[in-house]
Amino acid sequence: MAHSHDHASQGHDHSHGAGHVHGSTDKKRVLIAACLTAGFMVAEALGGILTGSLALLADAGHMLADSIALGLAWYAFHLASRPATGRLTYGFGRVKTLVAYTNGIAIFVIALWIVYEAWGRLQAPAPVLGGPMLVVAILGLLVNIGSFFVLHGGDRDSLNMRGAILHVLGDLLGSAAAIVAALVILSTGWTPIDPILSVLVSLLILSTAWSLMREAAHVLLEGVPPSLDRDLIARDIEATVKGVREVHHMHVWSLDGSSTMATLHACLDEGVDAHQAVSTIKKRLASEHGISHATVEPEFGQCADEGEEHDHDYEHEAASHHGHHH
């Protein structure tokens, strides 16, 4: 088995190298955005308190969470570049997905707090200083546009990067809402516009946070990547690789939302060169399905896991997928 694993390692290293270049530039981008966001968050919180604007305070709340989230995102990139250890054999790549999931929860909590706060403001409208509020909101918008462009050039496939962009996008919308609210207050004196726009921004952010959390959870649960179909891949190998009678016990998952891995058993016809078959399967998985790292167990005759009492999971899986490709 050891010799057949080399090919996957070589293929895996190649893709990992490309990802590493992305990772280091993404890491710098996230750090710049974190510093910009944290710096202005203090100014916006003070502005919100002085002007009495919930829209500014809501945006400052977003920016506080975003500073922390961007800091965590930076730390996740920092950890991901560390090599694998004897205890963490896959390295720290999945920390980025964990952070993306945590970010989603943080956005949820803040958005719900803003909705609750806005409800109170609508019951008892508070005075708002439109002029200073407008100045602070415009400055906030400029800072957020800067952060957004810094992050926008990063790797769009990275869940961690998308989580960071989502935070900044929320801030951008918050600043835009605060500007609109300030202009309405200055021209009409109608203060309920402030909490109403805060709620609208929160609802927009909630929907995007939900989709980010769903994607991150799918990766953490080691689900098959959305772009792939495990059963179709198994049938493809059976149809195209000479000497492969059937493929079973196949698992396909993503480590961090970008690099895909697989394990499978390949039942071979008698007399087939196992090394050649394994090598061909790995090449097929890499070229046709984008699976950069695969472990293939070649078998002749009976599956090594069948009839073994100690491995109920495999027996159960074999039974449940019997119709697919057993």
Side-chain angles (χ1 to χ4, degrees), residues 222-225 228 230 233 250-254 260-263 291:
E222 302 202 331
V224 178
L228 299 173
R230 184 199 65 168
I233 294 169
M250 185 170 190
H251 298 273
V252 181
W253 73 100
S254 175
T260 309
M261 317 183 92
T263 59
I291 296 171

Side-chain angles (χ1 to χ4, degrees), residues 170-246:
D171 289 338
L172 229 156
L173 287 169
S175 296
I179 289 170
V180 173
L183 290 171
V184 170
I185 290 164
L186 282 172
S187 55
T188 65
W190 192 60
T191 53
I193 188 69
D194 185 48
I196 288 168
L197 285 177
S198 304
V199 170
L200 278 177
V201 170
S202 292
L203 292 176
L204 275 173
I205 294 165
L206 275 176
S207 64
T208 39
W210 176 248
S211 64
L212 178 74
M213 280 170 69
R214 242 189 21 214
E215 277 186 61
H218 188 74
V219 172
L220 292 172
L221 289 169
E222 302 202 331
V224 178
S227 59
L228 299 173
D229 182 322
R230 184 199 65 168
D231 298 337
L232 278 178
I233 294 169
R235 284 197 289 273
D236 173 61
I237 291 166
E238 288 167 355
T240 59
V241 181
K242 208 177 161 196
V244 175
R245 196 150 41 84
E246 68 161 350

